[in-house]
DNA sequence: CGCACTGTTGAGCCTAATCAAGTTGTGTGG
DNA sequence: CCACACAACTTGATTAGGCTCAACAGTGCG
């Protein structure tokens, strides 16, 4: 296991810290596209360097206009390259340039490889993190090694907001990750000075709570078949950087990680995937790529209507 | 099932709406006592009318001083009568009298009987609720009737904060409940005008997220024995109105509700309780009252160290 | 090409669910 | 105060879904 980088002022050997241009610090992704209008608006793939899009004021306002669903004037959202998936940029309606500049001044930028640790449970909680690209697993362990992955985080997600002396969970990169982090003390000052950020975080937190309730329903009451079906249907909307073609699900995590997320074993996950394939609901394009052939049927299975 | 009262401006036949004296609107309870210093400070039992304690400024500052753990200058907390458990009062360091008066002016006060519905899933989400006394179950259903209770709420807890057109969960009283509610639109205005409230809610939400992660670990990876043990240990800290004598757990909910909270069946819950009793870890004082005889041993079981 | 790792498939087992009685507790009315 | 009805709870017997253990098959890398 790699050294953690969130425990002290220094970085572990596997993580790099660097400064990026202004206005690339925060990647605030929208909530899952529950309401139709709130879907993520991706930049056109042919635009290579996304940063250029935001340097002129006029471009940003265009993005905002496009990304703004009716009645969501105060909502934050981001934009990521659908092709490369890397380094999404924040487009934050209520945060002005001064806000963004302040954020950037306080942020450290991190680069992590697969398996690197962002946060280790029980370490002193000194930082707040924001993922800017890649995917992260968040989990808790029992003393005998049983693991429950409580969530996968993607570009735009926050980590370590909870108050408390130590982290109650661990977080590791499952893909190459870029992130930025703030010292807790500076984060608190930031919150005080940037009400728009606090509003955004509260809205985010309440949505995550709703998602957590969904996951509790899954873990407490759904069968293995229903769990996997639910997972496949909800996975794409969790990863705004890779919306991908309709019905195509990219799984950056291993079977073991899926199992630990769904409260199952790898064998059961594998069997259920095979069963869904045999029934013609999905197709296993590759190990990390699944195609949903009959979304309605899969939805019926996921909701226990089979 | 009773009529829901959160769906329209009117109240159902089983719920009463009344106005209470100023400054009794919000009951903001502290987070679970994870850090030693953050424990709830109860008023001395001999004080009958708690409201008197808060009418003089000097009394309030005394309460604040007593309730304030080191390094938590901005934290909200409440105080409830340990004897009667009813109507806790808010003591909110960063909210002044004007804030509280504004809250009161906007709140409707509700009274609910056992089984009454506060919130019904899929109804339009028009209100935000705050429990001022009693206990509430929050749950989700699958179409075939399987139920997962995602949490029990007590005095001081908030409900319905998530944005969204409709509620994603149901909430019902499991004891006589008093609550107050705000229209969503007025709640949003309130948030804008009362930054202290937003800060309190964000802190609350992040703590609830941490608790939700704990529950996911329980539902996904713990055995029936571990689940029940964990539940018994965490129950008292969830109900600040009734800290009760040390090692005494009051269970206002039925076995069916415990089962639906722990992802088990009533039979399994019953069997496990019997087993814990046989092993001498707990004693069943009555159906709703359990005494923990060997807390350390129970903790070991809960953490999977048995 | 070989090795290590991840994933798939099979056989048997075990925990908790299901089905089925009983028992205790509670509230109501006589 | 007791008799009764009903709900909540407990206990027992049986079943089944998913886990464990085990073997094998892809996949990727040096």
């Amino acid at each position: 296991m790699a050294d953690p980088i969130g425990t002290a002022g220094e970085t572990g050997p596997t993580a790099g810290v660097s400064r990026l241009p202004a206005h690339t610090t925060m990647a605030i992704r929208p909530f899952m596209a529950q309401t139709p209008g709130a879907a993520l608006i991706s930049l056109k793939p042919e635009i290579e360097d996304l940063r250029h899009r935001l340097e002129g004021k006029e471009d940003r306002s265009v993005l905002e206009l496009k990304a703004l669903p009716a009645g969501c004037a105060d909502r934050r959202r981001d934009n990521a390259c659908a092709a490369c998936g890397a380094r999404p940029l924040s487009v934050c309606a209520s945060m002005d340039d001064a806000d963004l500049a302040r954020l950037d001044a306080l942020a450290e930028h991190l680069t992590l490889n697969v398996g690197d640790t962002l946060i280790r449970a029980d370490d002193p909680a000194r930082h707040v993190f924001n993922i800017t690209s890649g995917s992260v697993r968040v989990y808790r362990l029992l003393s005998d090694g049983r693991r429950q992955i409580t969530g996968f985080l993607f570009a735009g997600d926050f980590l370590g907001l909870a108050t408390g002396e130590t982290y109650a969970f661990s977080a590791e990169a499952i893909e190459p990750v870029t992130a930025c982090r703030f010292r807790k003390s500076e984060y608190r000052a930031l919150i005080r000075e940037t009400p728009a950020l606090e509003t955004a975080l509260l809205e985010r937190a309440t949505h995550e709570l709703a998602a957590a309730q969904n996951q509790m329903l899954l873990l407490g009451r759904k069968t293995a078949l229903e769990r996997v079906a639910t997972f496949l249907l909800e996975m794409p909307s969790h990863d705004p950087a890779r919306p991908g073609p309709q019905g195509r699900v990219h799984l950056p995590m291993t079977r073991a990680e899926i199992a630990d997320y769904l409260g199952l074993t790898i064998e059961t996950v594998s069997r259920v995937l095979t069963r869904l394939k045999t029934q013609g609901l999905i197709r296993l394009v590759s190990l990390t790529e699944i195609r949903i052939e009959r979304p309605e049927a899969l939805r019926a299975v996921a909701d226990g209507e089979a």
Side-chain angles (χ1 to χ4, degrees), chain A:
Chain A
M1 181 160 305
D3 281 312
I5 59 168
T7 54
E10 301 81 40
T11 56
T14 54
V17 176
S18 64
R19 280 222 162 269
L20 292 180
H23 292 184
T24 61
T25 292
M26 302 291 276
I28 306 187
R29 75 173 167 103
F31 313 115
M32 284 159 291
Q34 295 177 340
T35 44
L40 180 81
I41 307 289
S42 295
L43 291 178
K44 287 170 194 144
E46 64 263 29
I47 310 293
E48 274 195 44
D49 189 353
L50 298 178
R51 265 163 292 186
H52 291 156
R53 298 287 302 239
L54 293 189
E55 263 152 28
K57 266 275 185 191
E58 67 288 0
D59 270 322
R60 186 187 300 183
S61 63
V62 167
L63 288 176
E64 284 176 14
L65 203 63
K66 286 167 72 177
L68 209 66
C72 301
D74 217 358
R75 183 168 295 179
R76 280 122 196 83
R77 67 219 79 80
D78 70 357
N79 287 274
C81 175
C84 68
R87 186 152 303 290
L89 300 172
S90 72
V91 182
C92 188
S94 313
M95 287 171 67
D96 56 20
D97 288 348
D99 286 341
L100 290 171
R102 194 162 53 230
L103 290 177
D104 253 19
L106 294 175
E108 278 177 291
H109 292 268
L110 313 171
T111 311
L112 295 96
N113 297 313
V114 176
D116 284 357
T117 300
L118 272 102
I119 287 175
R120 182 147 51 190
D122 301 324
D123 278 352
R126 285 202 253 266
H127 293 94
V128 169
F129 296 80
N130 178 246
I131 314 293
T132 49
S133 76
S135 357
V136 169
R137 60 170 174 250
V138 176
Y139 63 90
R140 287 179 186 236
L141 291 176
L142 289 172
S143 54
D144 60 2
R146 278 174 287 172
R147 179 177 70 168
Q148 179 64 40
I149 292 181
T150 54
F152 296 106
L153 299 187
F154 303 98
D157 284 323
F158 284 86
L159 257 172
L161 292 175
T163 55
E165 289 299 301
T166 57
Y167 295 113
F169 55 86
S170 300
E172 295 166 3
I174 61 175
E175 285 182 304
V177 159
T178 60
C180 66
R181 72 177 188 194
F182 307 87
R183 297 194 158 276
K184 262 284 176 66
S185 55
E186 290 168 342
Y187 157 76
R188 277 192 277 262
L190 207 59
I191 286 287
R192 270 197 297 277
E193 293 163 20
T194 318
L197 179 58
E198 186 160 50
T199 303
L201 290 177
L202 177 57
E203 201 176 338
R204 173 71 56 85
T206 56
H207 270 79
E208 278 184 35
L209 264 177
Q213 290 185 345
N214 266 337
Q215 192 67 3
M216 288 188 224
L217 175 62
L218 179 148
L219 292 170
R221 288 297 178 225
K222 287 192 178 180
T223 66
L225 192 65
E226 291 161 1
R227 294 183 199 203
V228 173
T230 305
F231 173 73
L232 291 177
L233 286 167
E234 294 193 350
M235 205 58 235
S237 61
H238 277 318
D239 191 353
R242 261 182 298 274
Q246 203 53 317
R248 202 69 159 279
V249 184
H250 174 68
L251 304 175
M253 66 291 291
T254 64
R255 296 287 186 272
E257 285 161 348
I258 297 173
D260 282 349
Y261 179 61
L262 299 179
L264 300 170
T265 58
I266 49 174
E267 294 93 332
T268 300
V269 170
S270 185
R271 276 186 251 272
V272 169
L273 285 174
T274 305
R275 192 168 150 199
L276 288 171
K277 185 184 68 179
T278 307
Q279 295 177 345
L281 300 196
I282 63 171
R283 183 143 46 124
L284 305 174
V285 180
S286 75
L287 275 178
T288 59
E289 196 87 9
I290 281 175
R291 192 187 165 84
I292 299 177
E293 301 285 358
R294 297 172 49 203
E296 351 65 44
L298 194 64
R299 168 57 59 190
V301 171
D303 293 344
E305 290 158 7

